[in-house]
């Protein structure tokens, strides 16, 4: 039987691994599908290819489908996030200028304490700092805003500007941005280029932030339930495979190919292992669950995660209504996740919402069958987000 | 280091349209500019890729921004779709109403258009028709160039594989090629792929 070909758009990033490995390791083939993987030049392009039907599925920044539902940005086709592809995995870094000032001030790059990092930046920054991010609707932006608002930096202490990661080194050199928040391999790439140093992993701000999602047009999800199920199962199995430490070498090797990321496997392995090099001085730090593809029901699209994103997008764009935010929370399709992953061995939680930020230690919660262990999802400031009172 | 994210204040109802083309390649940019100027009354500005793209575009207060769909700096345009103040006119990729079909055609031709809110489809259409035609030619030329490069690259690999076979088996060039072709047919692969695999294996074996 000939496999059904499914066009899928992605950005060449380490967290595209579940899609790439689903195709490369035969998980797609097992479901009778073949993924036609299309590397996109920009996030706008990924979104447009999905919205206009050039592809049927996409690797997308988790806030994009939420923003589209709220009418923000250029395109507002209804898109569903059917699985979370990856949790965490971003890094915050500073350019050479700031790095030098931080070092002169006695700051030790610990890569773990958001309060200390912010206090040091506020001390040496001398005014608002401009951070480059890949896209206006991204977890990068939300993490930066959340961090600044709750620290010595303050909400007015940072400005955010979109800079495609390949241009970040130039933007730093030209003084257009002082610092950045990017996904791997771009942080490690900046370090290798000598463009800057890494300050914090994204997970230091939010322990369990949904980073990328598997997105499809909502209309396509309705008309092609069978294909959607096959795609979701193949990608879920690939994520489980990738998260196994034994798969790391093969994953780094395949992602490094010219058709995918086209960077040395060693650079990719840093994100996969959580063993990051912070600067050209060679300081190294190990971060547990720097980038998570599977454990702790990582792929489950919690409605509360979408609600958190919608609430924060709403604050930044006050013209959006409460009703729009409520609707937007429904683009994380826990219903479809349950329907299509039942029977795969995927542990499905009993609830579809949780109080975000309330889990401090790995915690057993009721699952559809038995129990399942959820991983810490705390925010750095210890606050919680109650989806029934989104504010 | 601050600048307004969007700032298209002067709404240009009757005069010529102001168009910004984002294009790094000068020759390609000029070809597009000339075509647009022939199409009607408009001012056209060209901006290369730069990290301050949104600010530079906003300075021209354009009615339409045209950018190659494969240009990575497109993500900077997204900031322009968010109005930063009540007097600002946000730009949108026009996808709804009468212009919807046009947007689809544009995307297929490889151009994304950002159009200021409130500009009527009748005013956009002639410009877009020209831009679409022009970008289609540009894209076709680029594809042909890539195809030529690829063919050249494949020829080199096939030559290398032929050389390896001639040396290892003491056969002539035609026999080596016949061997490659047979292997390709047997495996249902392209000759270039078999040649590539052979060259890689030879490299590994030293």
């Amino acid at each position: 039987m000939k496999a059904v070909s499914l066009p899928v758009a992605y950005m060449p990033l380490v967290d595209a691994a579940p899609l790439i490995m689903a195709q490369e390791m035969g998980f797609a083939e097992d479901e009778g599908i073949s993924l036609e993987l299309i590397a996109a030049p920009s996030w706008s392009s990924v979104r447009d290819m999905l919205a206009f039907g050039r592809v049927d599925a996409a690797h997308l920044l988790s806030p994009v489908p939420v923003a589209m539902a709220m009418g923000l940005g250029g395109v507002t086709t209804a898109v569903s996030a059917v699985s979370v592809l990856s949790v965490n995995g971003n890094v915050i870094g500073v350019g050479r200028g700031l790095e030098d000032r931080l070092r002169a001030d006695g700051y030790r790059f610990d890569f773990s304490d958001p309060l200390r990092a912010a206090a040091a930046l506020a001390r040496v920054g001398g005014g608002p700092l401009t951070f480059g991010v890949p896209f206006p609707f991204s977890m990068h932006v939300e993490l930066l805003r959340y961090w600044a608002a709750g620290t010595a930096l303050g909400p007015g202490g940072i400005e955010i500007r979109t800079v495609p990661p390949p241009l970040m080194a130039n933007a730093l050199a030209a003084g257009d941005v002082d610092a950045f928040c990017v996904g791997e391999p771009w942080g490690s790439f900046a370090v290798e280029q000598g463009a800057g140093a890494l300050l914090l992993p994204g997970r230091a701000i939010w322990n369990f932030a949904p980073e990328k999602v598997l997105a499809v047009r909502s209309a396509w999800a309705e008309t092609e339930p069978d294909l959607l199920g096959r795609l979701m199962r193949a990608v879920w199995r690939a994520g489980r495979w990738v998260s196994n430490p034994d798969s790391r070498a093969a994953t780094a090797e395949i992602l490094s190919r010219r058709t995918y990321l086209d960077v040395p496997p060693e650079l990719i392995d840093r994100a996969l292992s959580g063993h990051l090099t912070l600067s050209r001085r060679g300081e190294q730090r190990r971060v547990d669950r720097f980038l998570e593809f599977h454990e702790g029901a990582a792929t489950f699209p919690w409605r509360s995660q979408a609600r958190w994103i919608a609430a924060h997008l709403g604050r930044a764009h006050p013209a959006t209504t409460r009703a729009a935010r409520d609707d937007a929370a429904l683009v994380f399709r826990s219903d479809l996740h349950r329907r299509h992953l039942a029977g795969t061995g995927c542990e499905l939680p009993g609830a579809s919402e949780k109080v975000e930020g309330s889990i401090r230690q790995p915690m057993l919660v009721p699952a559809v069958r038995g129990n399942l262990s959820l991983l810490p999802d705390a925010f750095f400031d210890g606050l919680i987000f109650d989806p029934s009172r989104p504010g | 280091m601050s600048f307004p994210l969007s700032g298209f204040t002067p709404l240009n109802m009757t005069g010529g349209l102001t168009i910004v083309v984002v294009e790094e390649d000068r020759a390609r940019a000029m070809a597009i500019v000339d075509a647009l100027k022939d199409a009607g009354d408009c001012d056209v500005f060209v901006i290369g890729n730069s990290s301050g793209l949104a600010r530079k575009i906003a300075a021209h207060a354009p009615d339409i921004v045209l950018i190659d769909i494969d240009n990575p700096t497109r993500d900077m345009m997204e900031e322009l779709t968010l109005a930063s103040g009540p007097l600002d006119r946000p730009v949108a990729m026009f996808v709804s109403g009468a212009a919807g079909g046009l947007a689809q055609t544009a995307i297929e031709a490889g151009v994304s258009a950002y159009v200021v809110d409130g500009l009527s489809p009748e005013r956009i259409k002639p410009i877009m028709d020209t831009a679409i035609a022009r970008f289609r030619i540009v894209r076709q030329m680029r594809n042909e160039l890539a195809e030529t490069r690829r063919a050249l690259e494949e020829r080199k690999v096939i030559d290398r594989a032929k050389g390896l076979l001639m040396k290892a088996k003491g056969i002539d060039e035609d026999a080596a090629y016949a061997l490659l072709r047979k292997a390709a047919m047997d495996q249902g692969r392209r000759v270039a792929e078999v040649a590539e695999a052979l060259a890689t294996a030879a490299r590994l074996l030293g």
Side-chain angles (χ1 to χ4, degrees), chain A residues 41-44 47-48 52 73-74 130 135-136 159 161-162 164 167 171 175-176 178, chain B residues 1-3 51-52 55 69-70 72-76 78-79 81-82 93 95 104 107:
Chain A
S42 65
W43 284 113
S44 320
R47 178 201 54 198
D48 297 349
F52 289 97
T130 304
F135 202 62
E159 284 175 10
R161 187 167 306 170
T162 305
L167 299 183
D176 284 336
D178 307 302
Chain B
M1 252 185 270
S2 92
F3 63 96
S51 55
R55 177 184 36 190
I69 213 155
D70 288 336
T73 58
R74 255 196 81 197
D75 281 347
M76 296 187 200
E78 197 65 18
E79 291 183 348
T81 66
L82 303 162
M93 266 194 69
V95 292
Q104 180 86 38
I107 282 173

Side-chain angles (χ1 to χ4, degrees), chain A residues 187-318:
Chain A
S188 294
F189 190 75
V191 168
E192 285 313 291
Q193 282 188 313
L198 305 186
L199 199 62
L200 290 170
R203 73 162 310 225
I205 294 162
W206 184 6
N207 278 177
F208 208 78
E211 173 55 34
K212 301 294 182 331
V213 292
L214 177 62
V216 299
R217 282 181 306 287
S218 302
W220 187 84
E222 294 306 315
T223 53
E224 298 287 354
D226 175 58
L227 275 182
L228 174 64
R230 293 200 235 169
L231 171 69
M232 287 171 67
R233 288 189 292 274
V235 172
W236 179 78
R237 289 195 182 100
R240 181 175 59 177
W241 184 86
V242 170
S243 79
N244 183 339
D246 293 342
S247 310
R248 235 167 50 207
T251 304
E253 198 61 45
I254 289 172
L255 291 187
S256 79
R257 286 183 193 162
R258 194 162 6 145
T259 43
Y260 297 124
L261 272 62
D262 197 19
V263 296
E266 186 273 328
L267 225 54
I268 294 168
D269 190 62
R270 294 185 195 182
L272 294 175
S273 64
H275 205 111
L276 288 115
T277 300
L278 304 189
S279 76
R280 282 217 295 192
R281 297 188 176 195
E283 297 118 317
Q284 300 204 334
R285 292 290 179 280
R286 176 71 212 281
V287 181
D288 270 344
R289 306 204 186 287
F290 171 77
L291 169 60
E292 182 57 62
F293 293 108
H294 180 74
E295 296 298 319
T299 61
F300 191 77
W302 295 89
R303 292 245 141 99
S304 45
Q305 292 172 333
R307 230 173 254 289
W308 185 91
I309 294 168
H312 286 79
L313 282 176
R315 273 176 223 175
H317 306 282

Side-chain angles (χ1 to χ4, degrees), chain A residues 253 257-258, chain B residues 157-158 160-161 164 189 192-206:
Chain A
E253 198 61 45
R257 286 183 193 162
R258 194 162 6 145
Chain B
V157 175
I158 292 170
R160 203 175 308 142
L164 287 165
R189 293 160 74 190
E193 285 176 66
V194 174
E196 174 85 58
L198 183 65
T200 305
R203 219 169 22 243
L204 287 176
L205 293 168

Side-chain angles (χ1 to χ4, degrees), chain A residues 51-238:
Chain A
F52 289 97
R54 168 68 187 87
V55 296
D56 290 328
H59 166 235
L60 213 50
L61 296 153
S62 60
V64 170
V66 180
M68 288 170 86
M70 290 168 77
L72 295 168
V75 176
T76 51
T77 308
V79 157
S80 291
V82 294
S83 290
V84 173
L85 281 177
S86 60
V87 163
N88 303 330
N90 290 331
V91 290
I92 295 173
V94 294
R96 289 286 286 281
L98 261 184
E99 180 191 352
D100 291 345
R101 277 184 276 161
L102 285 168
R103 289 196 195 276
D105 189 56
Y107 178 72
R108 197 178 61 85
F109 281 72
D110 60 29
F111 204 55
S112 67
D113 186 341
L115 290 165
R116 273 198 63 226
L121 277 180
R123 237 182 356 256
V124 306
L129 295 170
T130 304
F131 282 76
V133 297
F135 202 62
F137 308 110
S138 58
M139 192 49 70
H140 312 69
V141 170
E142 301 313 328
L143 292 176
L144 284 174
R145 284 204 189 115
Y146 191 91
W147 174 50
T151 59
L153 281 167
I158 62 166
E159 284 175 10
I160 295 177
R161 187 167 306 170
T162 305
V163 179
L167 299 183
M168 201 66 84
N170 284 343
L172 286 164
D176 284 336
V177 298
D178 307 302
F180 54 87
C181 181
V182 292
E184 285 291 283
W186 292 108
S188 294
F189 190 75
V191 168
E192 285 313 291
Q193 282 188 313
L198 305 186
L199 199 62
L200 290 170
R203 73 162 310 225
I205 294 162
W206 184 6
N207 278 177
F208 208 78
E211 173 55 34
K212 301 294 182 331
V213 292
L214 177 62
V216 299
R217 282 181 306 287
S218 302
W220 187 84
E222 294 306 315
T223 53
E224 298 287 354
D226 175 58
L227 275 182
L228 174 64
R230 293 200 235 169
L231 171 69
M232 287 171 67
R233 288 189 292 274
V235 172
W236 179 78
R237 289 195 182 100

